[in-house]
Amino acid sequence: MPHYDVVILGAGAAGMMAAIEAGRRGRSVLLVDHRKYAGEKIRISGGGRCNFTNIHATIDKGRDRFLSANPRFALSALSRYTPDMFIAMVRDHGIQFHEKTLGQLFCDGPATQINSMLLNEMRKAGVTLVLETSVEAVDRGTDGFSLQLSTSSITCESLIVATGGKSIPKMGATGLGYQLASQFGLRLTETRPGLVPLTFETGALEKLKALSGIATDAIVSHGKTAFEEALLFTHRGLSGPAILQISSYWREGDAIAVDLLPHEDAGAKLRAARRATPKLQIQTVLAGFLPRKLAQLLGEELDMTGMIGDFSDKKLAVVEAILKAWTLKPVGSEGYRTAEVTLGGVDTRDLDARTMAARDVPGLYFVGEVVDVTGWLGGYNFQWAWASGWAAGQVA
Ligand code: FDA
């Protein structure tokens, strides 16, 4: 039966990075994936341009930008494998990139360049990649693990689980990582879709649908967490970076608040309009600040009509409130079908933060999205995949 020092399940971002690092140490490495190609999510990521890291995914700024039951867990790996280290590899391979916004680094060309780079490094490190191969059973023996694959039976000393989360099943996501964690006695935290558009009940949706295609800059908040980015109205509800970000914090039954005039004093603007153009209808005034259809919807929500000159201070304060904190109550999210990530996963209490090793199962490691660590939108999730894969690759 073929034996490997290290077998890695899942040829995504984390699995490929772990394979490269273990291979570079001279370990014999087999990387297994059930899909036809490695790095399918890398290929489609960042709108096909792969937002491969974020320069702020460092220990100081990264502290608040990763969600987990234990937000400190990610810091060890993130501090040891930094965005600069990944950027150095990207540069070595001559891949051109740019900062789009907020520290987000994207390829100038297609995302497949990142896959080619990783495949190239794997080849140099002597990694064996087998695709279109599924995992039927995994058992632990006295000196390691035995695996029944769809094509053969193999044994290994170290097993790295890098099978990702549940998001986008049609891209190859399965629950294998969670099943293996449970099989080996590791705890799981509740999983739910993250970085996902939010949906609304039929009545609210009908109104929002009328705005489909409109984008506006906003500050979207949930409790004390707030994101200032674009908000996009779609025919299914709300999307855009600000909504995707807040979706990771939002829980069923909660409301979100939208500041439609970030950094502007809406009250002062309204009072100025009352002085300067008292005969204008309130909706026309709002349309001076916001996309016209949105202004119309807000006017309807407020159930207010008439000339702004007739508005009392008290009435203007109500208009100001909706501009600065429009409260919306999503009923759900679009779910794993479109979620960029899965929140929750393998409980970090059962893993060593330095190595990603299971505390009570020698030789077993979990890396990447399968672990209960989820980053903000904007390259944070890939940086976690690279860093956690790298950490396990140093020791497995
Ligand atoms: P990943 O999901 O990448 O890989 C898991 C691998 O395991 C897959 O190849 C899968 O086929 C394999 N697998 C699963 N089950 C298996 C089984 N039973 N047997 C064998 N193999 C199995 N992040 C970011 O930082 N910047 C970005 O630009 C984007 N953009 C983006 C766009 C879209 C549309 C999505 C869905 C996601 C993103 N992300 C992102 C998130 C990012 O893609 C994600 O966090 C990483 O891919 C996670 O890397 P992993 O290696 O952990 O899992």
Side-chain angles (χ1 to χ4, degrees):
M1 198 185 293
H3 178 83
Y4 294 87
D5 294 331
V6 184
V7 168
I8 301 170
L9 304 180
M16 288 200 274
M17 181 58 98
I20 292 166
E21 290 302 315
R24 283 180 181 166
R25 287 172 40 239
R27 304 282 276 164
S28 60
V29 180
L30 180 75
L31 176 57
V32 181
D33 203 291
H34 64 159
R35 299 281 290 180
K36 197 168 176 188
Y37 301 102
E40 285 279 77
K41 279 200 184 153
I42 297 174
R43 184 176 59 78
I44 59 155
S45 67
R49 292 272 186 258
C50 188
N51 177 193
F52 56 80
T53 192
N54 190 299
I55 56 174
H56 303 306
T58 50
I59 187 156
D60 49 339
K61 297 218 176 77
R63 209 175 279 270
D64 307 321
R65 299 180 184 193
F66 290 88
L67 292 86
S68 169
N70 174 11
R72 295 188 59 77
F73 177 83
L75 300 181
S76 170
L78 291 169
S79 67
R80 290 166 67 227
Y81 190 82
T82 60
D84 282 346
M85 291 161 83
F86 194 79
I87 293 167
M89 178 159 48
V90 169
R91 284 193 207 278
D92 274 355
H93 283 258
I95 299 172
Q96 305 290 318
F97 62 92
H98 61 279
E99 180 183 341
K100 193 171 169 192
T101 174
L102 304 170
Q104 304 169 1
L105 302 190
F106 282 76
C107 296
D108 292 353
T112 46
Q113 294 173 103
I114 298 291
N115 272 336
S116 305
M117 172 186 84
L118 296 167
L119 290 169
N120 203 333
E121 290 295 333
M122 287 202 304
R123 258 190 305 275
K124 284 199 267 174
V127 172
T128 306
L129 171 66
V130 291
L131 296 165
E132 298 183 275
T133 302
S134 54
V135 183
E136 281 159 11
V138 179
D139 287 302
R140 206 179 126 66
T142 41
D143 351 290
F145 299 86
S146 59
L147 286 93
Q148 183 60 53
L149 304 178
S150 52
T151 47
S152 61
S153 299
I154 54 168
T155 58
C156 63
E157 190 185 318
S158 298
L159 179 66
I160 303 181
V161 181
T163 45
K166 297 180 181 174
S167 21
I168 321 219
K170 82 170 195 266
M171 302 289 305
T174 69
L176 179 66
Y178 308 116
Q179 277 164 39
L180 290 174
S182 299
Q183 179 187 333
F184 290 106
L186 284 83
R187 288 167 286 185
L188 296 172
T189 64
E190 182 207 352
T191 49
R192 58 198 172 89
L195 301 181
V196 64
L198 295 175
T199 55
F200 291 83
E201 50 86 13
T202 331
L205 183 61
E206 275 314 308
K207 290 187 199 155
L208 292 173
K209 257 185 182 171
L211 309 183
S212 181
I214 291 176
T216 185
D217 270 342
I219 299 176
V220 179
S221 54
H222 174 266
K224 288 196 173 114
T225 309
F227 293 96
E228 180 176 355
E229 281 192 70
L231 175 151
L232 176 69
F233 296 87
T234 74
H235 60 283
R236 285 199 287 266
L238 290 181
S239 187
I243 292 295
L244 298 185
Q245 295 279 37
I246 214 70
S247 73
S248 296
Y249 293 84
W250 175 83
R251 296 283 188 151
E252 235 166 271
D254 292 351
I256 56 171
V258 182
D259 177 348
L260 291 162
L261 292 177
H263 312 296
E264 293 198 61
D265 184 339
K269 277 172 92 86
L270 288 166
R271 285 189 296 275
R274 184 173 59 184
R275 272 193 309 273
T277 52
K279 294 208 156 44
L280 276 192
Q281 291 291 313
I282 185 69
Q283 291 189 356
T284 315
V285 173
L286 293 178
F289 309 155
L290 298 170
R292 190 181 48 81
K293 282 187 180 167
L294 176 55
Q296 212 172 329
L297 175 72
L298 291 186
E300 284 162 17
E301 290 250 313
L302 288 168
D303 202 15
M304 284 184 190
T305 49
M307 295 184 298
I308 189 163
D310 297 334
F311 275 51
S312 64
D313 283 348
K314 204 169 152 200
K315 224 168 153 190
L316 272 198
V318 176
V319 184
E320 179 185 355
I322 203 167
L323 288 170
K324 295 303 279 181
W326 184 25
T327 305
L328 291 160
K329 208 159 179 195
V331 285
S333 78
E334 286 187 13
Y336 291 117
R337 189 179 59 80
T338 61
E340 284 200 13
V341 287
T342 303
L343 292 148
V346 178
D347 194 324
T348 58
R349 286 177 296 177
D350 294 334
L351 298 175
D352 179 307
R354 205 169 167 278
T355 60
M356 303 295 131
R359 288 191 188 283
D360 297 328
V361 189
L364 181 64
Y365 301 80
F366 288 85
V367 297
E369 195 178 321
V370 72
V371 178
D372 172 27
V373 172
T374 306
W376 279 8
L377 184 80
Y380 291 92
N381 286 296
F382 277 139
Q383 189 57 33
W384 167 246
W386 314 133
S388 56
W390 183 92
Q394 305 309 306
V395 290

